[in-house]
Structure formats: structure tokens, C-alpha cells
Amino acid sequence: MNVPSDLKYTKDHEWVRIEGDIAVVGITDFAQGELGDIVYVEVETVDETLDKDEVFGTVEAVKTVSDLFIPISGEIVEFNEELESEPEIVNSDPYDKGWMVKIKFSDAGELDDLLDDGQYKELIGA
Amino acid sequence: MKNTALSHVHEALGAKMVPFAGYNMPVSYEGVNAEHETVRKTVGVFDVSHMGEFLITGPHALDLIQKVCSNDASKLVDGQAQYSCIPNDTGGIIDDLIIYRLNEEKWLLVVNASNIDKDWNWISGKNNMGAEMRNLSEDFSLLAIQGPKAVEAMQSLTSVDLSEIKFYTFEVADFAGIEHVIISATGYTGSGGFEIYCKNSEVEQIWNKVFEAGADFGIKPVGLAARDTLRLEMGYCLYGNDIDDTTSPLEAGLGWITKFTKEFTNSEALQKQKEEGVKRKLVGFELTERGIPRQGYDIVDAEGNAVGNVTSGTMSPSLGKGIGLGYVPKELSRSGTEIGIQIRKKVVAATVVKLPFYKG
């Protein structure tokens, strides 16, 4: 199970990469494996400002629909439009090309609530 | 939770296992899309041993079957199978099933795993003519070997000419070194192939030999997730989704297995419904915009009014678009009718289409 040490994680199996005041968010390798073949990623909240833990989108595998929760309050500034035509990138490259949204976060203090790689590994029993 | 005789084999293959109808079943192995494609293009194998099998025997076997099933089993000859359903007293469906005529006094009914107890109790309750009934569900395994290469890949395992077994007929013959196996040209995928009925004690040998024989053809194990996408691309009903205790076979498009050539449970009311016309119909639809319909989503008319429900839906692996089945008022059931599917906060455009979705 790939859990990079330079990322932060949530209990909802999302990863967060901090780039200045931007948080790049995707779902973890564990999450994509559990979901199976991902066939649709829907994000219709670009330009919206959401509070931490609100739903910012949906990821659909063949058999399941899962909500995506924003891990940190802020404005959704970008959606990875590659995923519209090739949602399977989330399966093949969850931590890089399979990123989902970029968030301009409003409260850096919330970053402290995220899990580090060790805590996330413990969560998934890796 | 029960295991099939092969659950340990699936686990060893790394399958993702899920509880389904009380059984520990493989939902996928390498991934549903790849497994789906295997069945469409070459040959795949499903362990569907959770399915129920009832043996009905004796001089009154056919009488009982005719009484509880909607299709006309008197038309069958030895070695022939028939799709049918068991209507209830109130216009709905107890289960859908396949009926095999082994001989005049020996019939096999194959029912959905989730309905084994319900069906058994229902049929037993109707058996006032003294047919002998045995529930073999716990003793028998079922493998579905499906795909365009199934005949070629499996021929070396049996002395019968597999290409001579016509759709919805079967042979009781040798297969993979086991005698008296039912080799049935049936399935739930629309890609051809066989269903193999054998005893639990025989199935692991058969499974292993099937994979040896199919190796050169790229044979792979296929899970329940692909079974669902494959059947849905064909527009085949799934009990519990598209048909249930409240849906009439006529509404569900199963008029072709509802034969008023004989009396059966609720046949009078169903005949009246046929004459008067149904108010709603099960239709297939394709999304014309991005999105995936799911069971339970509302179907809306052009004005945005909810007029029905999605009963099954998925992203079609073969067609690359959202497809589904659902009930709509008869006025909206013609192919070409534009409808909408309420997906979360928005309405996604869809068109009623003729089934099957996948035309090979």
C-alpha cells in the first residue's frame, strides 16, 4: 500500500498536498483499491467556498457512489478536468495525475487536524 | 454466512469478497471493467453456486410447475430449458427462474439465491397435487462459463459436441472428467456460453480443468460486479431491482413469458391487465449527458416532475455511457422519448431506448 510520507491524510481516505496557500486533494491508493474501477468523478463546486467536511464532489465506481469531503475550509479554485474523460487515472495514479481539486484554504490552523502518513497507515492497518 | 464450495479458491485468487444473499461471494478479481471485457471478447467463468436448485419429480411435477409459473412449461421437450416467473396473488412476482425438463417426470427449477426460502415455501404451499420436491440448493454448485470463445475453449472437456447445444437447451453428460453434469446453453450475459451444474464435491475439479482448458483462450474468473454490468447491458431483469413482489410481469416487459394458454397463480387478473393495458412499463434508457443513473434515482418528465424510479443503473463498460432500467408511465415508454434522471442536485437528460443496450 502506497502512503507517501510528504502528504497529509483524512479519515475519509483523502490525501492533501500543501503548495503555499493551496491544498491539492485526491483520494488515497487504499481508497481507489477499495472502490475498484472508477468511472466518474463529478465536481460542480469550482469557485465555491466550502467549510471543512462539506461535500465537494462525488466519485463513482462501477458499483458505488461516494461523496468527497473537503478536508480543509476554503475556495475550490480548480478541478482536474483530465478526470472528465479519463477517471481511471484515479486508479492508476492516485497521488499525482489523479488529483481532484485545488483548494485555496482559509484557515491554516485546520491543517493540524490532518493525519500524517504514520497515522493514516494505522487507520487502514497498513 | 455461507461459503460456496469455491470460496477459498476465490480468496486465494485475491478476489474482493462480499456478502451476497447470505453467501461469501467474489465481487471482482482484477477489476470489473477488465472482467466485463473478458466475457464480451473471449471467455470468463463465474461461480454462481449461491443460486437455488429445486428438483420436482413424479407424475404431478408438471402440474405443479404449470400452476406456479407464468410461462407454459408443457411446451418443453426433454433437454430444453425455459425462462419463467412465479407470480404472486396480488399482481407481483415472487421470483424469476429457469425451468429445465430432464424428463417428463423430472424437472429442475433454478431460482435466485435471495429467494430460496420464499420460493420453497410458496411452491410447497401450492403443491396439493402430490408432486415430489427436493431442495438441492446446498448440494449443487453452478459455474457460468460465458463468452464468444466458450464453445471452442471447453470442447476438449467433454464428449458432446458443444456447438450442437442450442440456446436454452442442455445435455446431461461428462464434463472435465465428471459424469452426469448438466451442460446448459444458458447464461445472464448475452455473450453466449454455458452454465454447468454439478455436485459441490465435483466443482473444484471442474473449475481447475476449465481454467486449464481455457488458458490458451485467455480465460479469467469474473465476479458478481461484472455479472451485473453484463446483464444490464442486455436489459435482463434482476430480481429485487427491476422486478419484485409489487411489479407485474406485464409491466416488466415479461409478457413473453406470461402465457394465458393455461391457468396459473393470478392468471385471471394478469389477463385482465393485459387486455386493459398496463399503466407503467419498465424501459431502458441511455443518458445523453455525463452521469451514471443509480437504483432509486427519480425519473422526471420534460417538466421536471418525478414520474418513476430507476431500478438498475450503471456506467456501461461496452458503450461508455450511463444506462439504466426504470418504470415510467406508459405514455413515456416509447423508444425515443426524452426523459430526465435526477442525479443529486441536477436533472441529466436521457432517452428511452430499445433493449438490449449492447447489440454485440
Side-chain angles (χ1 to χ4, degrees):
Chain A
M1 193 64 60
N2 185 7
V3 182
S5 58
D6 59 336
L7 302 178
K8 298 288 188 185
Y9 299 90
T10 73
K11 291 188 177 67
D12 299 312
H13 308 286
E14 289 157 336
W15 56 261
V16 181
R17 179 187 294 119
I18 305 301
E19 297 177 352
D21 61 350
I22 299 292
V24 185
V25 175
I27 67 168
T28 65
D29 189 28
F30 174 80
Q32 69 79 19
E34 288 293 304
L35 289 168
D37 290 351
I38 289 167
V39 290
Y40 192 48
V41 180
E42 182 183 86
V43 172
E44 300 201 318
T45 49
V46 174
D47 297 335
E48 288 181 24
T49 298
L50 301 177
D51 287 334
K52 179 174 184 271
D53 296 334
E54 280 194 273
V55 174
F56 73 85
T58 312
V59 57
E60 301 199 35
V62 173
K63 296 297 289 179
T64 56
V65 183
S66 306
D67 285 332
L68 294 163
F69 300 97
I70 187 170
I72 182 166
S73 303
E75 181 188 353
I76 311 275
V77 291
E78 196 179 339
F79 166 54
N80 181 1
E81 287 177 6
E82 296 273 313
L83 302 182
E84 287 197 348
S85 54
E86 292 181 79
E88 62 274 15
I89 301 172
V90 177
N91 292 117
S92 59
D93 194 1
Y95 295 117
D96 188 16
K97 289 185 181 145
W99 67 274
M100 290 180 173
V101 292
K102 292 183 181 177
I103 300 159
K104 188 168 183 182
F105 55 90
S106 48
D107 179 2
E110 287 177 357
L111 294 172
D112 297 338
D113 299 337
L114 298 172
L115 309 176
D116 65 22
D117 58 312
Q119 290 165 315
Y120 183 66
K121 278 183 187 164
E122 201 170 306
L123 180 75
I124 61 174
Chain B
M1 191 164 46
K2 296 175 201 164
N3 283 318
T4 75
L6 291 171
S7 290
H8 66 286
V9 174
H10 308 312
E11 282 166 1
L13 286 166
K16 189 176 291 181
M17 305 294 286
V18 294
F20 182 83
Y23 282 85
N24 182 28
M25 298 296 289
V27 66
S28 67
Y29 300 81
E30 62 174 316
V32 53
N33 287 333
E35 291 164 34
H36 183 106
E37 189 174 301
T38 295
V39 174
R40 286 280 181 252
K41 298 201 169 146
T42 55
V43 54
V45 184
F46 307 75
D47 174 17
V48 280
S49 301
H50 59 312
M51 300 291 285
E53 294 89 10
F54 303 156
L55 194 65
I56 314 288
T57 54
H60 303 295
L62 177 60
D63 297 336
L64 176 59
I65 290 166
Q66 290 289 68
K67 184 177 175 184
V68 298
C69 296
S70 62
N71 207 341
D72 190 347
S74 72
K75 307 285 187 202
L76 293 177
V77 297
D78 292 355
Q80 195 179 7
Q82 181 183 67
Y83 181 55
S84 193
C85 78
I86 305 174
N88 65 21
D89 288 322
T90 52
I93 299 173
I94 301 270
D95 202 2
D96 62 340
L97 75 166
I98 297 180
I99 298 168
Y100 291 84
R101 175 170 156 152
L102 295 155
N103 64 47
E104 198 181 348
E105 296 193 2
K106 193 173 181 188
W107 304 70
L108 184 69
L109 310 188
V110 178
V111 304
N112 283 297
S114 51
N115 292 333
I116 291 172
D117 292 342
K118 181 174 81 162
D119 293 351
W120 179 262
N121 292 336
W122 177 267
I123 299 169
S124 302
K126 298 284 181 185
N127 183 15
N128 56 7
M129 62 283 283
E132 292 147 41
M133 295 176 55
R134 280 175 65 198
N135 185 350
L136 305 179
S137 304
E138 302 273 308
D139 309 320
F140 270 71
S141 291
L142 171 55
L143 298 182
I145 303 168
Q146 299 278 298
K149 298 285 185 193
V151 170
E152 207 182 332
M154 296 298 113
Q155 187 56 66
S156 65
L157 296 180
T158 176
S159 60
V160 295
D161 183 348
L162 291 177
S163 67
E164 289 294 312
I165 307 180
K166 302 298 176 209
F167 194 50
Y168 270 79
T169 68
F170 64 95
E171 294 275 348
V172 181
D174 61 291
F175 190 83
I178 308 282
E179 297 297 323
H180 308 299
V181 171
I182 295 179
I183 309 170
S184 168
T186 48
Y188 198 41
T189 65
S191 280
F194 303 95
E195 292 182 300
I196 303 290
Y197 296 87
C198 63
K199 296 195 189 86
N200 290 345
S201 57
E202 300 164 341
V203 72
E204 193 163 348
Q205 176 177 330
I206 292 180
W207 173 276
N208 289 334
K209 289 193 182 278
V210 161
F211 277 87
E212 281 168 30
D216 290 344
F217 299 85
I219 201 165
K220 287 178 181 173
V222 184
L224 291 182
R227 183 171 164 84
D228 191 51
T229 53
L230 288 157
R231 71 90 193 169
L232 188 48
E233 284 186 344
M234 298 307 295
Y236 297 154
C237 289
L238 173 62
Y239 193 89
N241 282 38
D242 314 302
I243 51 176
D244 62 27
D245 294 300
T246 68
T247 61
S248 127
L250 302 172
E251 292 172 335
L254 299 178
W256 64 282
I257 60 165
T258 307
K259 297 286 172 58
F260 300 109
T261 48
K262 47 133 199 182
E263 278 185 27
F264 58 90
T265 311
N266 206 37
S267 58
E268 209 169 300
L270 287 171
Q271 188 153 18
K272 186 157 171 275
Q273 186 180 51
K274 186 178 180 182
E275 283 156 12
E276 291 174 355
V278 295
K279 292 187 179 64
R280 61 173 188 165
K281 275 183 148 175
L282 184 68
V283 296
F285 59 85
E286 289 180 0
L287 300 197
T288 51
E289 300 174 323
R290 280 164 40 79
I292 305 173
R294 301 286 184 179
Q295 185 182 20
Y297 288 2
D298 281 339
I299 299 176
V300 302
D301 64 12
E303 283 76 47
N305 305 308
V307 292
N309 272 304
V310 176
T311 53
S312 289
T314 194
M315 174 68 85
S316 162
S318 301
L319 307 177
K321 54 183 157 186
I323 59 170
L325 298 174
Y327 285 92
V328 297
K330 197 183 171 196
E331 314 80 81
L332 296 178
S333 65
R334 281 174 66 107
S335 69
T337 304
E338 290 180 8
I339 55 173
I341 309 300
Q342 184 75 45
I343 301 181
R344 294 178 284 279
K345 289 175 192 164
K346 67 179 177 185
V347 173
V348 176
T351 306
V352 175
V353 297
K354 284 205 176 77
L355 297 171
F357 298 101
Y358 176 77
K359 295 172 180 75

